[in-house]
Amino acid sequence: MMQKQADAILPLKEISKSPAVLELKAVTKVFPGVKALSEVSLKLIPGEVTALVGENGAGKSTVVKILTGIYQPDDGIILVDGQPTIFPVPQAASQSGVTAIHQETVLFDELSVAENIFLGHAPRGRFGLIDLKIMNKKSCDILHSIGARIDPEQKLKDLGIANKHLVAIARALSTDARVVIMDEPTASLSHKEIEELYELVESLKSQGKAILFISHKFDEIFRIADNYTVFRDGQIIGDGAISDVTDADLVKMMVGRDVSQIFPKRKTSLGKVILQVKSYTHPTEFEDISFTLRKGEILGFYGLVGAGRSEFMQALFGITLNTFGTIKIEDKPVQIKSPADAVENGIVYVPEDRGRQGAILDLPIFQNITLPSLGKISGNGFLKLAKEFKLARDYTERLELRAASFDTHVGNLSGGNQQKVVIAKWLATQPKIIILDEPTKGVDIGSKAAVHEFMAELAEQGLAIIMVSSEIPEVLGMSDRVIVMREGRMVTELNENNLQPETLVRHAAGI
Ligand SMILES: Nc1ncnc2c1ncn2[C@@H]1O[C@H](COP(=O)(O)OP(=O)(O)OP(=O)(O)O)[C@@H](O)[C@H]1O
Ligand SMILES: [Mg+2]
């Protein structure tokens, strides 16, 4: 209201400011049981980066989906160059020059990288046929501009998750858009790719594109954003120039309280060796991996995209086969040929890719959580199930899961909350060893502290934890030891005496 009056009184000021290319006015979006957005207004200005921040479930991705024609607002309007517009289908948004890198991008495994990038807008030759040569060349150029070393003719299914994410970024850049929306673009990337993405954002800015940037990482928000907008429970809590606020201000607006950004201190009392891996090798993914893990220890794995960390973890969990080498658990040699073997031996794996490997999106939260424990239920199964259920509830509370109810389908949860379900589900099996692949990917700053505290507490109780993480502060803050991998091999092992950010980066990049 206040805003509208001010506009009426000061029209000149409005005109002198660079006009918004894309704008939301009082947009509301309701899902069954949740008001995802409540009268949200937002302006995107050419040549400026606006950071959108807020807790998991605050409504950020819902805004992205409205701006790209995936959802329709229940109320309020969208303006393009000041003109009220509707985007009944995604193509309409795309034709208005809006492109997005979504939090979960849908790509096609059976198509090539270039086909994925140009699906729906491929360059065509004289007879209307797709010009493969030009398409591959253009793909190559775009991939190159974001520092991705990917062959455009390769099938998508042969790429790891981080490289798939780079393809999704390339796809968004392949249309000549005026507005580029990025929903947690750096969540799957490591140090080097992130730097390249920042350069890309700078270059898009200088080309006069308007950018909406969603992130849970405060260092990057302060590095690249000009403006900020904070959401809480679907409402705008504050907005303005980034230079007028500190990270503590933003956190307080987001969470409504101060959050300690200090990692939990814990008494590390290492127990007996629980896992011994010796000369573990896969014909193409990794080679000669050897280490030991003790009860109560948190062992970090750091590396760049494609270093083979996730592939190795998937082998430990019996997803990737054709491996050789030995694994001993509590001094007993074991064979892990399937995830069932791994679970049987007390090893569980929380994957980075929650959509494909982590959760069953069209089942309710509680069924997802009790699923891996079901096999253990027999005889007095009902009681056991009730116990598992209680455990699941305790765990989800500790991880600050936000959902309308335990019956909500996981697919309807926000990205960060899906992640919490996957972690809770595997912790509820009470394993001896847990492998966490990017445990706080997409998790908001308040819940992140909760996840870290919980990890520290479980380690104190004797759980052995392997943590794959690309976030340097997390690696440094949580690990007792860190193994750095590069191109499928272990390059070094660092402990508290030589664990520094520069050392990590140097070893990972092979400098
Ligand atoms: N298709 C849907 N059906 C039902 N509820 C939905 C749907 N999509 C989103 N929601 C709900 O809307 C709210 C906002 O979700 P949204 O995905 O926008 O959050 P977010 O801010 O992107 O969170 P995150 O940081 O975890 O990605 C959440 O409560 C979510 O569960
Ligand atoms: Mg989201």
Side-chain angles (χ1 to χ4, degrees):
M1 245 2 239
M2 290 278 290
Q3 180 92 38
K4 275 183 195 146
Q5 270 169 18
D7 283 353
I9 300 164
L10 296 168
L12 281 177
K13 193 173 166 220
E14 257 317 286
I15 290 164
S16 65
K17 241 181 85 181
S18 178
V21 47
L22 185 64
E23 185 175 351
L24 288 182
K25 260 200 178 137
V27 163
T28 294
K29 179 73 191 171
V30 182
F31 294 114
V34 203
K35 196 170 198 179
L37 298 177
S38 178
E39 298 194 31
V40 163
S41 298
L42 185 72
K43 280 184 183 176
L44 300 179
I45 314 282
E48 294 187 9
V49 178
T50 302
L52 185 54
V53 296
E55 288 182 295
N56 296 134
K60 303 178 299 295
S61 295
T62 305
V63 162
V64 176
K65 289 175 186 162
I66 284 179
L67 290 174
T68 50
I70 296 171
Y71 293 157
Q72 306 308 314
D74 294 318
D75 207 351
I77 49 171
I78 305 174
L79 300 156
V80 175
D81 296 322
Q83 299 302 313
T85 310
I86 46 169
F87 294 151
V89 288
Q91 284 83 339
S94 165
Q95 272 155 19
S96 291
V98 183
T99 188
I101 302 156
H102 291 282
Q103 198 170 13
E104 325 281 341
T105 312
V106 183
L107 296 171
F108 299 90
D109 268 348
E110 291 303 326
L111 298 182
S112 75
V113 167
E115 285 166 333
N116 269 286
I117 293 176
F118 280 101
L119 191 70
H121 54 272
R124 287 178 191 272
R126 267 207 303 161
F127 303 107
L129 296 175
I130 291 181
D131 190 331
L132 281 179
K133 219 169 139 195
I134 293 190
M135 188 168 84
N136 287 333
K137 167 81 177 63
K138 282 189 168 176
S139 299
C140 216
D141 293 346
I142 302 171
L143 288 165
H144 190 78
S145 76
I146 54 175
R149 280 160 303 272
I150 304 172
D151 173 6
E153 292 178 60
Q154 211 177 350
K155 280 255 168 74
L156 189 86
K157 67 175 174 209
D158 296 328
L159 303 182
I161 181 166
N163 278 329
K164 283 184 181 165
H165 190 69
L166 290 170
V167 173
I169 295 174
R171 172 167 172 76
L173 298 172
S174 66
T175 62
D176 193 21
R178 296 193 295 155
V179 177
V180 182
I181 303 173
M182 304 184 173
D183 197 349
E184 297 189 40
T186 64
S188 295
L189 304 180
S190 53
H191 183 75
K192 187 164 176 294
E193 292 82 17
I194 290 176
E195 285 299 322
E196 266 145 358
L197 189 91
Y198 293 160
E199 277 170 30
L200 175 83
V201 170
E202 283 301 326
S203 110
L204 293 174
K205 229 178 103 163
S206 64
Q207 293 164 32
K209 313 222 186 241
I211 296 158
L212 182 65
F213 192 93
I214 297 176
S215 174
H216 290 294
K217 300 180 194 165
F218 281 72
D219 51 343
E220 71 186 19
I221 291 166
F222 280 90
R223 171 142 173 208
I224 65 168
D226 302 295
N227 315 304
Y228 70 91
T229 295
V230 182
F231 275 16
R232 197 194 307 158
D233 296 331
Q235 280 174 301
I236 292 191
I237 297 293
D239 52 16
I242 201 86
S243 51
D244 294 344
V245 285
T246 63
D247 29 341
D249 296 335
L250 284 188
V251 172
K252 198 148 187 183
M253 281 188 244
M254 265 175 68
V255 192
R257 62 183 154 91
D258 291 316
V259 173
S260 150
Q261 292 191 52
I262 300 165
F263 286 89
K265 279 239 167 0
R266 66 197 161 92
K267 306 192 292 289
T268 320
S269 53
L270 298 185
K272 59 180 196 310
V273 170
I274 187 156
L275 175 71
Q276 288 164 271
V277 175
K278 211 161 174 207
S279 305
Y280 224 58
T281 298
H282 179 276
T284 54
E285 304 298 331
F286 51 83
E287 195 176 338
D288 200 19
I289 310 286
S290 303
F291 64 91
T292 57
L293 177 70
R294 292 174 178 275
K295 281 178 71 123
E297 189 174 30
I298 301 182
L299 174 62
F301 270 76
Y302 183 77
L304 299 183
V305 168
R309 296 170 300 162
S310 297
E311 289 75 10
F312 169 66
M313 299 307 160
Q314 287 168 12
L316 262 190
F317 191 57
I319 300 174
T320 303
L321 299 177
N322 295 324
T323 47
F324 37 99
T326 56
I327 298 180
K328 285 186 188 167
I329 291 179
E330 290 173 323
D331 266 333
K332 206 178 89 222
V334 295
Q335 293 278 335
I336 298 177
K337 297 282 173 227
S338 68
D341 289 348
V343 173
E344 183 90 354
N345 283 295
I347 302 184
V348 302
Y349 171 61
V350 179
E352 181 186 4
D353 184 355
R354 37 186 187 251
R356 222 162 286 188
Q357 298 167 341
I360 301 175
L361 300 180
D362 51 12
L363 280 185
I365 296 173
F366 78 89
Q367 280 188 20
N368 264 281
I369 290 179
T370 51
L371 204 62
S373 312
L374 286 180
K376 292 198 254 164
I377 297 164
S378 61
N380 58 351
F382 182 71
L383 277 180
K384 188 114 189 266
L385 188 60
K387 227 177 115 198
E388 301 276 5
F389 204 94
K390 179 172 179 310
L391 203 63
R393 192 176 286 277
D394 291 348
Y395 281 20
T396 47
E397 268 170 27
R398 281 297 310 263
L399 298 170
E400 301 191 346
L401 178 79
R402 269 181 290 273
S405 89
F406 242 33
D407 291 324
T408 306
H409 283 196
V410 172
N412 288 342
L413 294 178
S414 75
N417 283 310
Q418 290 181 5
Q419 179 79 345
K420 295 174 201 167
V421 170
V422 180
I423 298 178
K425 126 176 165 178
W426 288 113
L427 282 177
T429 66
Q430 298 192 299
K432 294 183 211 159
I433 301 166
I434 190 162
I435 306 167
L436 297 166
D437 201 340
E438 306 288 357
T440 61
K441 171 178 156 182
V443 169
D444 70 55
I445 197 158
S447 310
K448 210 166 186 163
V451 172
H452 288 149
E453 238 162 71
F454 200 21
M455 280 172 67
E457 196 180 305
L458 291 167
E460 262 179 33
Q461 291 165 11
L463 180 66
I465 301 178
I466 295 178
M467 180 185 74
V468 175
S469 173
S470 297
E471 273 191 55
I472 292 175
E474 181 170 73
V475 174
L476 296 175
M478 294 302 296
S479 317
D480 297 304
R481 270 186 305 142
V482 179
I483 289 175
V484 180
M485 281 181 70
R486 186 175 71 239
E487 292 170 8
R489 293 161 187 259
M490 291 172 56
V491 284
T492 188
E493 187 182 309
L494 305 170
N495 56 38
E496 55 185 321
N497 301 319
N498 52 7
L499 199 50
Q500 263 110 32
E502 309 78 56
T503 335
L504 274 183
V505 171
R506 210 154 32 80
H507 283 291
I511 309 166

